[in-house]
Every structure is written in C-alpha cells, then in structure tokens.
Amino acid sequence: MLAADLTFILAHGAWADGSSWSKVITGLLHRGIKAVTAPLPLTSLADDVAAVERTVERVGGPVVLVGHAYAGAVVGSVRSPEVKGLVYVTALAPDEGETVADVFYRTEPHPLAPHLAPDAHGWIWLPESAFAKAFAPDASEDGQAMLAAVQRPISPACITVPVARPLWKDVPSWYLVAAQDRMIVEETQRFMAARMNATVVAHPVDHTPGVTAPDTVVDLILQAAHGIAG
C-alpha cells in the first residue's frame, strides 16, 4: 500500500465544523494526500459515529480517521475494517466503559477553561469569550470571531454514554499533544496517549492546531500515512 492509496477522514470536535480543517486539507492535497471531512451532527455519540461510518462507506478503500478533541471518542468507536489507523489531534480517547466526560474532567481544568452547561434547550454552547481565552487563543481576532460565529453546539448525549472497546486497541494510532491546550490539559492528553500506546508528537500549540498551527497537524498525518503504508 502507498500513502497515496489512503484517504484521511477528518472529524471535527465540539463547537466547530468541517471548515476548521480547511488549512490541513490544503496542506495534505499539496503533498498528494487525499482528505475529506466527516460532518458530525453532534446530537449523540451514536449519531456521530454513524456519520463517520457513512463517510468511510462513501470514500471506499482504506482510510485513516483523524479526530480533534471530542471527535477522538467518535473515531475510536468506528468499526469499519477499512480503517487502518487513527490520528488524534489533542483529542479525547475514552477506554471501554468510560464516557467522554470521564476523561475530559479527570484532572483539574485550566484556570481559563470555560464553565460548560446546557442551555434551556439542552445544548451546550461555548461562550463567545472562550474562543480567545481557551479554544483558539493563538488565532487572530478575526479568526476567533469566525470560529465563534460558526460554532455548532453539542448535546450532552455525546459525552455521557460509555464507549465500547475502542478501535485504538486494534489499529496503530498517532497523537498530537498540544502543550498549550486550555480545554484539554496536557496531563490528560499524555495519560490517554500513553495508555493507547500511540506514537506521540508534542508541540507548544493551543486547542485548535488545525486552525492555528496546521503544519504540525499535516506533519503528523504524513507520519501516520507513511507509517501505515510502510
């Protein structure tokens, strides 16, 4: 198998959409790597997993799943035999029987992390001020404003359901540790990456390196591509 034979399916996290991967997609295409996004409804973990599995089916052939933040739990729950590897971008990786909330809240949050709670309709939105303080502090003011404007809320049903045996126990995985992440603290990232036995790369980047440091994400994806192909 060649790296060019793989398609990378990029799954966005909470409070984001597929456009958060645009710089990464451009970087991959310039290097001959195919990439598409999987639009997640963020309505429940099962719904989001189904959305990724439909994307795998639509693409056809061998794929590698890339998950950012919450989407780490999603890509780890996919069961298609076409998945040859997983890439976690400062992502959550619950083990069997754990919920996303379990790993998200396993340590004390960063002092600038926002307080999260459902609104009157049951959706969890990110406060607008949190995009500059915690979600993407390294983005420009315009970039932060755009992220806030296009954010998509997440349902508590995404983060309160225990996961089954995660796929990272059966396929190779790579993990980008974002050392300046104020949403998922570095200690939690390293804990998850270690028990996954993932190949780890660490950079002093914020919670959304796909937006603020896309080259670091592209480089890790290329490492995964060549590792799987080789």
Side-chain angles (χ1 to χ4, degrees):
M1 183 188 302
L2 301 175
D5 296 329
L6 296 166
T7 298
F8 284 78
I9 297 176
L10 315 177
H12 61 82
W15 310 300
D17 62 14
S19 66
S20 62
W21 291 111
S22 59
K23 295 178 182 178
V24 173
I25 293 171
T26 299
L28 292 173
L29 292 177
H30 288 169
R31 292 164 175 82
I33 301 295
K34 296 173 288 186
V36 300
T37 64
L40 305 186
L42 302 179
T43 47
S44 72
L45 181 61
D47 290 346
D48 293 337
V49 173
V52 175
E53 290 179 336
R54 288 193 298 269
T55 305
V56 173
E57 181 181 349
R58 176 172 62 86
V59 166
V63 302
V64 178
L65 304 182
V66 183
H68 172 238
Y70 156 70
V74 178
V75 299
S77 298
V78 172
R79 292 293 175 264
S80 171
E82 295 292 357
V83 179
K84 306 306 178 184
L86 300 170
V87 177
Y88 289 75
V89 178
T90 184
L92 294 163
D95 202 348
E96 185 172 3
E98 291 180 338
T99 69
V100 171
D102 288 337
V103 287
F104 185 74
Y105 291 111
R106 71 174 299 272
T107 57
E108 285 295 316
H110 189 279
L112 295 177
H115 173 71
L116 302 173
D119 66 10
H121 302 284
W123 293 96
I124 303 172
W125 293 84
L126 197 64
E128 186 170 349
S129 62
F131 286 90
K133 291 180 178 179
F135 193 79
D138 294 341
S140 66
E141 288 187 11
D142 286 350
Q144 292 164 355
M146 180 60 69
L147 288 168
V150 303
Q151 74 158 305
R152 299 179 60 218
I154 187 170
S155 167
C158 296
I159 63 173
T160 56
V161 177
V163 303
R165 176 185 172 88
L167 188 58
W168 47 259
K169 292 188 174 183
D170 303 309
V171 300
S173 60
W174 286 259
Y175 197 107
L176 172 59
V177 171
Q180 303 299 323
D181 195 331
R182 299 173 182 174
M183 297 291 291
I184 304 171
V185 296
E186 181 180 4
E187 178 185 342
T188 296
Q189 296 176 57
R190 290 191 179 275
F191 164 79
M192 293 183 293
R195 71 177 180 180
M196 294 163 63
N197 197 30
T199 298
V200 176
V201 174
H203 290 279
V205 295
D206 68 12
H207 180 66
T208 55
V211 174
T212 60
D215 287 347
T216 64
V217 180
V218 170
D219 287 347
L220 182 60
I221 289 175
L222 291 173
Q223 182 179 342
H226 294 301
I228 294 168

